[in-house]
Amino acid sequence: MEKWRTWRGTDDIYQKPPPPPGSQTPLTNRIACCKLFTLFFELSSFSILLLFLFSSSSFTSTEAYDPLDPNGNITVKWDIMSWTPDGYVAVVTIYNFQQYRHIQAPGWTLGWKWAKKEVIWSMMGGQTTEQGDCSKFKGNIPHCCKKDPTVVDLMPGTPYNQQIANCCKGGVLNSWVQDPSTAASSFQVSVGQAGTTNKTVRVPKNFTLRAPGPGYTCGPAKIVKPSRFFTADKRRVTQALMTWNVTCTYSQFLAQRTPSCCVSLSSFYNETLVPCPQCACGCQNASQPGSCVDPKAPHIASVVQGTGQNNLAPLVQCTSHMCPVRIHWHVKLNYKEYWRVKVTITNFNYNMNYTQWNLVVQHPNFNNLTQIFSFNYEPLTPYTGINDTAMLWGVKFYNDLLSQAGRLGNVQSELLFRKDKSTFTFEKGWAFPRRVYFNGDNCVMPPPYPRLPNTSSHQRISTLGLLTTLVVAMAFLFGFA
């Protein structure tokens, strides 16, 4: 170090030695570091992008959140009731724990994939859609030999020796609010070539549920505490040998590419009717004349086939919105302490009779609903202390069936609300619903709403009317004076 010290007066200055030949200077070091950092950043960004793309392609969502029914799901419970020489006998029950989403005809379809080489020897209360290849069996032929069986419910009227409790409804499940007693469906299955103890049994995987179309995503089977059963006299309790549950959740985005319903609005104080948004559920295809049905066409009877039979593919009436179902909310009357609304549900689908339909409406005045006509009503309170959501459905044997498009393809009711002076107003669209669901699917709301007449123009008209009346009265008096 003394070799590189120089004296300049009283200042002791240390000078750095010159770099050896071939070595890099500080400037070149900084440039190299910057290049290395840039290269590392580019590689890191590329790696992150690859990781994101990989995770996106391999990720499968098994959850769907509904703010109006946050705990709603369909649970498949698999109870092993007894062991057999080569497997077990189980009762499989499908519970619909959804508040307002039900399963209509043609009903549910449940599928899974066996973990080993299991076969189904026999079934009660249900059946597989295909038997599969059972050629290796001789004598006793299994009910199904497929690796991935698909099970459907039996129809009503099935012989009693093929039934079990809660079976044979054609796959139809009611929603939990409408009727909990009909919100479950069961079948019994005898499984062979499977484990015969809790340690050797393997749970099936890759469960699928169609109800009746797509929309449900099922998670993996989870072994839970064995189910307990009470005898008819409630004096004895038995339990399953082994139980596992599968939870399936619904997503409207998976169920259909386009919406299935829309909302239109009107009121007594404005002659303007706010229709469903144009092309809310699709647009008329001019290049395909058969994409919708003109109700005024002379050959409509030949176009609409299979009256009374449900078809998942909609055949809708030609409209500007092209929705299978429209809900119309009309603010009908205004009283001193009450106000009245008329709700009309119209079916534009020629291929569907909506059985056990339901409507969910969100509006802040449902906490003061006084009376409802010809519909059933149940408040939905997913959040404690907030009663702004109502579930409406038809009266059994009266209007619980929404018939296919045509003269009878509508149901209607009226709602009477008590006014809350602190919140009630007709201004800014307050009297119209915030959100509407039909059969569990969110409906398209119109962007505008019927507005109140201009107050200033009303005042001018009223003043002019008063002046006219006054002039006529004075002329009348002077005429007889």
Side-chain angles (χ1 to χ4, degrees):
M1 195 67 183
E2 293 292 330
K3 181 178 180 181
W4 301 103
R5 178 181 296 178
T6 59
W7 294 91
R8 294 184 181 176
T10 58
D11 297 330
D12 192 5
I13 302 175
Y14 291 92
Q15 296 180 351
K16 294 182 179 180
S23 63
Q24 294 182 347
T25 63
L27 179 60
T28 57
N29 283 334
R30 285 195 293 271
I31 294 174
C33 288
C34 290
K35 291 182 177 180
L36 183 62
F37 178 79
T38 304
L39 179 62
F40 177 78
F41 179 79
E42 291 175 353
L43 290 175
S44 299
S45 302
F46 183 71
S47 302
I48 293 172
L49 179 61
L50 285 179
L51 181 62
F52 175 78
L53 291 175
F54 175 76
S55 62
S56 299
S57 61
S58 60
F59 176 73
T60 302
S61 174
T62 59
E63 299 294 334
Y65 180 75
D66 186 347
L68 298 184
D69 188 13
N71 299 317
N73 67 76
I74 290 181
T75 298
V76 181
K77 187 177 70 168
W78 195 297
D79 291 314
I80 296 180
M81 306 304 295
S82 62
W83 301 112
T84 61
D86 69 336
Y88 57 85
V89 175
V91 174
V92 181
T93 306
I94 303 173
Y95 293 97
N96 184 13
F97 291 126
Q98 299 174 111
Q99 297 290 313
Y100 52 82
R101 189 171 289 112
H102 67 283
I103 300 176
Q104 64 181 18
W108 55 262
T109 302
L110 182 66
W112 64 83
K113 187 175 182 181
W114 292 117
K116 297 193 291 186
K117 296 182 179 180
E118 293 90 339
V119 296
I120 298 176
W121 284 115
S122 61
M123 293 188 68
M124 292 182 64
Q127 63 182 1
T128 59
T129 56
E130 296 183 45
Q131 183 183 31
D133 184 9
C134 298
S135 58
K136 68 177 182 179
F137 292 90
K138 297 182 180 181
N140 191 13
I141 305 298
H143 176 82
C144 179
C145 300
K146 286 181 65 68
K147 180 73 173 179
D148 52 347
T150 300
V151 176
V152 295
D153 195 11
L154 297 182
M155 302 300 293
T158 298
Y160 289 109
N161 60 352
Q162 300 177 21
Q163 295 187 25
I164 66 167
N166 278 334
C167 84
C168 311
K169 305 172 185 177
V172 175
L173 288 181
N174 224 326
S175 66
W176 195 256
V177 169
Q178 285 177 268
D179 188 1
S181 64
T182 58
S185 180
S186 302
F187 61 88
Q188 179 180 292
V189 57
S190 178
V191 182
Q193 297 187 176
T196 55
T197 66
N198 290 25
K199 294 184 178 180
T200 57
V201 166
R202 295 292 179 265
V203 299
K205 54 186 179 180
N206 298 345
F207 278 85
T208 60
L209 177 67
R210 297 177 68 87
Y216 285 90
T217 303
C218 298
K222 296 181 180 179
I223 298 176
V224 297
K225 188 176 180 180
S227 302
R228 293 163 59 88
F229 309 97
F230 288 89
T231 57
D233 58 5
K234 308 293 183 181
R235 302 178 65 184
R236 173 176 165 79
V237 179
T238 60
Q239 72 175 39
L241 304 177
M242 187 177 181
T243 300
W244 57 79
N245 287 345
V246 178
T247 302
C248 303
T249 52
Y250 179 82
S251 170
Q252 185 175 349
F253 299 103
L254 297 177
Q256 51 207 0
R257 296 180 180 179
T258 59
S260 59
C261 55
C262 64
V263 179
S264 58
L265 308 172
S266 63
S267 65
F268 70 91
Y269 55 77
N270 194 320
E271 296 180 357
T272 303
L273 186 148
V274 179
C276 288
Q278 190 171 4
C279 297
C281 303
C283 296
Q284 296 187 30
N285 193 343
S287 60
Q288 297 181 357
S291 60
C292 64
V293 176
D294 184 359
K296 298 180 181 179
H299 59 283
I300 185 172
S302 60
V303 175
V304 180
Q305 301 289 339
T307 302
Q309 297 182 357
N310 290 346
N311 190 335
L312 296 181
L315 179 62
V316 299
Q317 189 178 115
C318 295
T319 59
S320 61
H321 52 79
M322 292 294 288
C323 290
V325 175
R326 182 191 67 193
I327 294 89
H328 184 72
W329 180 281
H330 174 66
V331 180
K332 186 176 181 180
L333 293 170
N334 181 31
Y335 306 107
K336 182 178 180 181
E337 296 184 357
Y338 300 91
W339 62 292
R340 185 185 290 258
V341 169
K342 183 177 181 179
V343 178
T344 304
I345 307 173
T346 305
N347 186 4
F348 293 99
N349 188 357
Y350 288 98
N351 277 351
M352 181 66 71
N353 291 320
Y354 294 97
T355 59
Q356 300 174 346
W357 60 267
N358 64 68
L359 189 70
V360 174
V361 183
Q362 192 174 33
H363 190 280
N365 213 163
F366 271 115
N367 59 348
N368 283 326
L369 179 64
T370 303
Q371 191 174 4
I372 184 169
F373 306 90
S374 69
F375 281 1
N376 289 309
Y377 159 76
E378 183 71 23
L380 298 180
T381 54
Y383 309 103
T384 306
I386 302 177
N387 182 14
D388 65 348
T389 307
M391 178 174 170
L392 314 174
W393 68 96
V395 178
K396 193 172 184 179
F397 304 126
Y398 176 61
N399 57 359
D400 60 337
L401 172 66
L402 177 59
S403 299
Q404 65 182 27
R407 185 173 56 87
L408 301 177
N410 69 87
V411 291
Q412 55 190 6
S413 178
E414 294 192 3
L415 293 73
L416 186 67
F417 296 94
R418 178 185 291 274
K419 294 180 180 178
D420 184 350
K421 295 181 180 180
S422 62
T423 58
F424 177 81
T425 179
F426 282 132
E427 296 181 355
K428 299 180 180 179
W430 184 90
F432 299 102
R434 298 348 182 217
R435 191 181 303 178
V436 176
Y437 287 74
F438 178 78
N439 279 357
D441 288 336
N442 196 3
C443 300
V444 180
M445 300 291 294
Y449 49 84
R451 297 181 180 274
L452 282 170
N454 193 322
T455 307
S456 59
S457 63
H458 248 279
Q459 187 173 2
R460 287 195 300 268
I461 293 172
S462 301
T463 305
L464 180 60
L466 288 174
L467 290 174
T468 303
T469 305
L470 181 61
V471 170
V472 171
M474 293 178 66
F476 181 79
L477 290 174
F478 280 114
F480 288 89

